[in-house]
Amino acid sequence: MERNLINSWGSPSTSSAGAGSRHAASARSAASPLQPNYSSLAVQKALEHLASLDLIELCSEAKVERCRATRDLRSCGRYVQHVLVSCGHASLCKECSQRCDSCPICRIPIPKNDSRLRPRLYCECIEAGLISKRCDERFQEKEEGDDQLTADVLRLYALFDVAMENNLVSLICHYDSGEEDMGEKIGLLLKLSSNLGGISNVLEVLDSSFQGSSSAQLNDLQFLHESVSKAKQHADIMAWCIRNEFLENVRARYGNLASWRSVARERKAAATKRSWPDVVNHSAESSVKAGSLFIEDALSNIEIPQGHPQHMEEELRLASLQKDRDSLFRSKLEGLAVCYPFESLRAAVDMLFLTGSSDMVVAKEAIFLYYIFDRHWTTPDDNWRSIIDDFAATFGITRHSLIESLTFYLLDDDTDEALKEACNLLPEICGPSTHPKIAQVLLERGVPETALMVLRWSGHDGSEIVSLSEAVTAVRVRVECGLLTEAFMYQRMLCAKVREKNSKRGPPKDSPNHLEAKTNRWGDWLETLVTEICCLCIKRNLVDRMIELPWNSDEEKYLSKCLLDCAIHDPSTTTGNLLVVYYLQRYRYTEAYEIDAKLQNAEQDFLSMNSIDERVLSRMRSASHWRATLVVSSVKACVKFSDHGI
């Protein structure tokens, strides 16, 4: 269905059709009679090379070339099967390339290493078994005299056959049909979209009749339904783009793609630099990566997960219809996120709506809106706001979704103006479904008060269990706002709910240690949140306030460990002294004495291994003496009271 749709946008020109009628039989026979081994590296590389070429490059690859090197005052004339990597010209045979210093056509020097040559596409296809060697020999018989042009055409048609057989139809369709020609086909496109919608409805009814059963036929039916739905979604978006002339007449904020990509790299670098240290996520509930942009996470979420070979194979076939095929194969190797910003509006449509699941259409539309906002933000509103409104009206997108996409873009934009505008928009979109990363980004960008308001508007007050990463963000926000007691109560309330939830789950019959595992998971939450509070208080010099909070025995274990580790790592700080004070305040003199002894050993080791400034040394000795005196006095007082029966 998708192939027919693409073919309907363009047909071969008259001259091409004439050539096809004269040479169809010969060209068609160039396809290998045996099925190629698609798992082999040679076949995969040949198809990737074929899909990545522009049309002019494809014609050049099909053209028969002879070696232009001079041998005994004559040209070599051998059949050229390789291209010079340094300049891209097919001007030398393999033997002559080893003795020549530069290309005979452009005079660019040829490097003296093993990577001076790469196979020509036509030769790659022959070696991979995509084109028959026997048929190639018949083509070579036509390379002399008047049949030279015929041989070139036959080789081009052989490459077209390979494209047809491997679903690279767009190579042929785009041969003489561009975006400017699509306006004439919009009526047919809408008709095909309507037909696809009808087919999708029929398949949905058939699918419902198989409920409760599993069979190969059901899998095939669901797969077909998914493919048809995806094709319709792509056709609908394409119709909108054609109607709006692919926004060619709307001035973008960026002068060219290179400048846009440079800005995107700067945003990524800024996000990475300002990101907080990641927390050990024992629950593995969050897929958000530290330092990532909203657009990166969104693009990663719409990709098909590993372990679905049928879907991956079909996605490669559909995506081969994309005009921007270089980005396609890059996305398959490195992920979809690396392709942003997209090459063009057409590339954005293809990359988004020909990949991923059709169920993700709302997310894809949101990403498409993000792209338009990024493309036109800071330009006069009159130039592009009507386009946003038209897109929303066409696809039934609510005002809330529009503002949400705009807010995600503004929070990715590292300028102060964008941050200010995002903060102004947040009250309109915040609620129970607010994206948890918003508070995290606001915290990283230095506006914890706004982040706290977002958390409260979203109902994240500890009454509901959230992911561990979200809980850490909530604790960080409260501490950064100076609400230490609130952060303490939040972690206690949340950990209590996690523990209660774990205790209500009965252990599976096949896992006798399941309950113990659940308890450990609760312990992981407790350790993570208490340690986070401790680290933030150490960083913000709030330890004196923190030790006054009513920590219980479970919490105290991680509190004491964190403070002691910090004191041993750097005995010049007051952290260890305050830990001793913590135990003395609770009349636990023995533990205070033990901590003091550990600190004295750590201080001696620290002084012996480091060259310390006299001022710091004096302060450390004074603090150590004060701490030891306080501990001894407290122990003596305890003994005295014990002797008197107090």
Side-chain angles (χ1 to χ4, degrees):
M1 186 64 64
E2 186 72 18
R3 174 179 295 186
N4 294 335
L5 173 62
I6 298 298
N7 280 329
S8 70
W9 287 343
S11 56
S13 62
T14 304
S15 58
S16 300
S21 62
R22 292 192 300 270
H23 304 298
S26 298
R28 190 69 60 188
S29 65
S32 176
L34 299 177
Q35 184 73 11
N37 180 13
Y38 286 98
S39 63
S40 71
L41 185 61
V43 172
Q44 294 175 7
K45 284 187 174 181
L47 291 177
E48 287 184 15
H49 189 186
L50 174 61
S52 65
L53 289 179
D54 291 333
L55 296 174
I56 295 178
E57 294 174 330
L58 185 65
C59 295
S60 299
E61 291 285 348
K63 186 174 172 29
V64 176
E65 296 286 359
R66 298 289 184 177
C67 180
R68 305 190 187 194
T70 301
R71 285 175 174 265
D72 301 327
L73 303 180
R74 295 184 305 172
S75 294
C76 171
R78 292 181 181 178
Y79 181 45
V80 177
Q81 297 180 325
H82 296 81
V83 171
L84 297 175
V85 174
S86 57
C87 62
H89 288 135
S91 57
L92 295 172
C93 64
K94 187 173 184 179
E95 180 180 340
C96 292
S97 68
Q98 297 176 351
R99 64 180 182 85
C100 292
D101 296 327
S102 61
C103 172
I105 297 177
C106 63
R107 300 301 177 186
I108 291 179
I110 301 174
K112 299 300 181 181
N113 52 46
D114 295 336
S115 61
R116 66 166 64 92
L117 298 174
R118 66 162 175 81
R120 300 186 71 193
L121 173 62
Y122 186 79
C123 300
E124 270 190 296
C125 291
I126 291 177
E127 293 300 323
L130 296 169
I131 296 177
S132 170
K133 291 184 178 180
R134 180 173 56 84
C135 295
D136 178 60
E137 293 172 356
R138 294 207 304 268
F139 291 170
Q140 292 185 32
E141 295 175 359
K142 302 179 180 295
E143 292 176 12
E144 302 296 335
D146 295 337
D147 286 338
Q148 175 71 53
L149 180 60
T150 301
D152 292 346
V153 172
L154 289 176
R155 286 161 60 103
L156 178 61
Y157 270 86
L159 293 176
F160 280 172
D161 283 341
V162 175
M164 286 288 293
E165 292 165 1
N166 293 277
N167 293 296
L168 299 176
V169 189
S170 58
L171 279 173
I172 306 168
C173 299
H174 294 316
Y175 191 72
D176 54 14
S177 178
E179 291 172 356
E180 63 278 2
D181 301 321
M182 294 181 184
E184 302 175 1
K185 311 286 176 62
I186 188 171
L188 181 58
L189 180 62
L190 293 173
K191 180 179 179 181
L192 290 173
S193 174
S194 177
N195 292 339
L196 287 170
I199 295 173
S200 178
N201 293 335
V202 172
L203 293 174
E204 185 175 0
V205 173
L206 290 175
D207 188 7
S208 63
S209 65
F210 281 91
Q211 286 185 353
S213 63
S214 59
S215 63
Q217 291 82 1
L218 176 59
N219 293 335
D220 292 341
L221 180 63
Q222 292 174 339
F223 185 65
L224 177 60
H225 187 198
E226 167 68 13
S227 300
V228 170
S229 299
K230 194 182 298 183
K232 183 186 184 307
Q233 292 168 5
H234 181 263
D236 291 340
I237 295 290
M238 280 297 299
W240 182 86
C241 291
I242 294 171
R243 181 160 52 83
N244 287 276
E245 300 178 337
F246 288 89
L247 306 186
E248 291 295 329
N249 298 323
V250 183
R251 185 175 67 87
R253 62 185 293 196
Y254 303 100
N256 51 52
L257 181 62
S259 63
W260 193 347
R261 286 182 170 170
S262 176
V263 170
R265 287 192 295 269
E266 292 174 0
R267 290 176 191 162
K268 174 62 178 177
T272 303
K273 183 178 180 180
R274 68 175 180 252
S275 64
W276 285 50
D278 197 11
V279 64
V280 179
N281 193 345
H282 301 285
S283 64
E285 292 177 359
S286 175
S287 61
V288 177
K289 303 173 183 176
S292 64
L293 300 172
F294 279 100
I295 188 63
E296 291 181 290
D297 297 337
L299 288 170
S300 298
N301 288 336
I302 68 171
E303 292 178 330
I304 288 182
Q306 299 295 327
H308 295 77
Q310 185 183 22
H311 288 279
M312 290 297 292
E313 179 183 359
E314 180 63 18
E315 186 163 291
L316 283 170
R317 290 178 178 176
L318 283 174
S320 68
L321 300 174
Q322 297 179 25
K323 199 163 187 177
D324 180 22
R325 290 176 290 274
D326 290 337
S327 296
L328 157 68
F329 287 104
R330 188 182 177 201
S331 70
K332 294 306 162 189
L333 294 174
E334 305 176 47
L336 198 57
V338 300
C339 299
Y340 189 88
F342 306 108
E343 293 277 352
S344 62
L345 190 74
R346 169 68 188 276
V349 172
D350 289 346
M351 295 291 287
L352 292 174
F353 294 93
L354 288 178
T355 58
S357 170
S358 63
D359 294 336
M360 301 290 291
V361 64
V362 174
K364 295 175 183 180
E365 291 170 348
I367 296 172
F368 189 73
L369 281 170
Y370 179 108
Y371 172 82
I372 297 178
F373 283 128
D374 192 2
R375 187 176 188 262
H376 299 287
W377 184 254
T378 72
T379 62
D381 288 359
D382 294 341
N383 294 348
W384 59 278
R385 288 285 183 172
S386 59
I387 295 172
I388 298 293
D389 294 338
D390 180 65
F391 186 84
T394 302
F395 297 100
I397 298 174
T398 64
R399 173 177 170 79
H400 180 278
S401 297
L402 285 177
I403 297 179
E404 190 175 49
S405 294
L406 174 58
T407 303
F408 291 156
Y409 158 69
L410 292 172
L411 291 175
D412 278 349
D413 190 326
D414 58 338
T415 62
D416 293 337
E417 295 80 3
L419 177 60
K420 183 178 179 181
E421 182 66 21
C423 292
N424 292 335
L425 293 174
L426 283 171
E428 190 169 347
I429 65 170
C430 283
S433 61
T434 299
H435 198 295
K437 187 174 179 176
I438 291 179
Q440 174 190 329
V441 173
L442 291 170
L443 175 65
E444 293 172 348
R445 297 195 64 173
V447 283
E449 294 80 9
T450 306
L452 180 62
M453 294 307 298
V454 168
L455 290 175
R456 288 177 172 166
W457 289 329
S458 305
H460 294 173
D461 55 359
S463 58
E464 298 292 337
I465 296 180
V466 294
S467 69
L468 183 55
S469 61
E470 293 176 49
V472 169
T473 297
V475 164
R476 288 173 172 175
V477 168
R478 286 168 169 82
V479 174
E480 287 298 299
C481 290
L483 303 176
L484 183 56
T485 302
E486 186 174 329
F488 168 81
M489 294 304 300
Y490 175 85
Q491 71 82 21
R492 176 168 288 184
M493 186 184 305
L494 190 59
C495 288
K497 286 190 173 296
V498 172
R499 187 173 193 175
E500 179 184 1
K501 180 180 179 181
N502 291 340
S503 63
K504 289 181 178 179
R505 295 178 179 176
K509 296 179 180 179
D510 58 345
S511 179
N513 296 324
H514 185 74
L515 185 59
E516 180 181 353
K518 288 295 182 182
T519 304
N520 290 338
R521 181 170 177 244
W522 163 79
D524 292 337
W525 277 65
L526 185 65
E527 178 184 7
T528 300
L529 296 180
V530 172
T531 302
E532 189 68 30
I533 292 176
C534 289
C535 292
L536 289 172
C537 288
I538 293 171
K539 182 179 179 181
R540 302 301 182 196
N541 294 321
L542 298 174
V543 179
D544 56 336
R545 289 178 53 193
M546 182 185 69
I547 62 175
E548 296 177 356
L549 296 171
W551 303 95
N552 60 34
S553 58
D554 293 322
E555 298 162 342
E556 183 186 276
K557 178 173 59 175
Y558 304 113
L559 173 81
S560 177
K561 180 180 183 303
C562 181
L563 293 178
L564 183 60
D565 289 346
C566 177
I568 293 176
H569 176 72
D570 185 6
S572 64
T573 65
T574 62
T575 305
N577 301 330
L578 292 172
L579 178 58
V580 171
V581 171
Y582 171 82
Y583 285 111
L584 292 176
Q585 287 177 338
R586 288 156 177 78
Y587 307 105
R588 293 158 63 180
Y589 303 114
T590 302
E591 290 161 291
Y593 181 84
E594 293 173 352
I595 293 295
D596 176 60
K598 292 180 181 179
L599 292 174
Q600 289 186 22
N601 293 333
E603 289 166 351
Q604 292 175 2
D605 294 340
F606 182 78
L607 293 175
S608 64
M609 293 185 296
N610 297 278
S611 178
I612 306 299
D613 180 78
E614 284 296 329
R615 186 176 59 180
V616 176
L617 179 60
S618 176
R619 188 177 70 247
M620 285 181 60
R621 287 176 175 172
S622 176
S624 178
H625 176 72
W626 170 84
R627 186 185 66 239
T629 301
L630 183 62
V631 170
V632 171
S633 300
S634 300
V635 172
K636 287 182 178 179
C638 179
V639 172
K640 181 178 179 180
F641 291 152
S642 298
D643 292 342
H644 289 80
I646 299 177

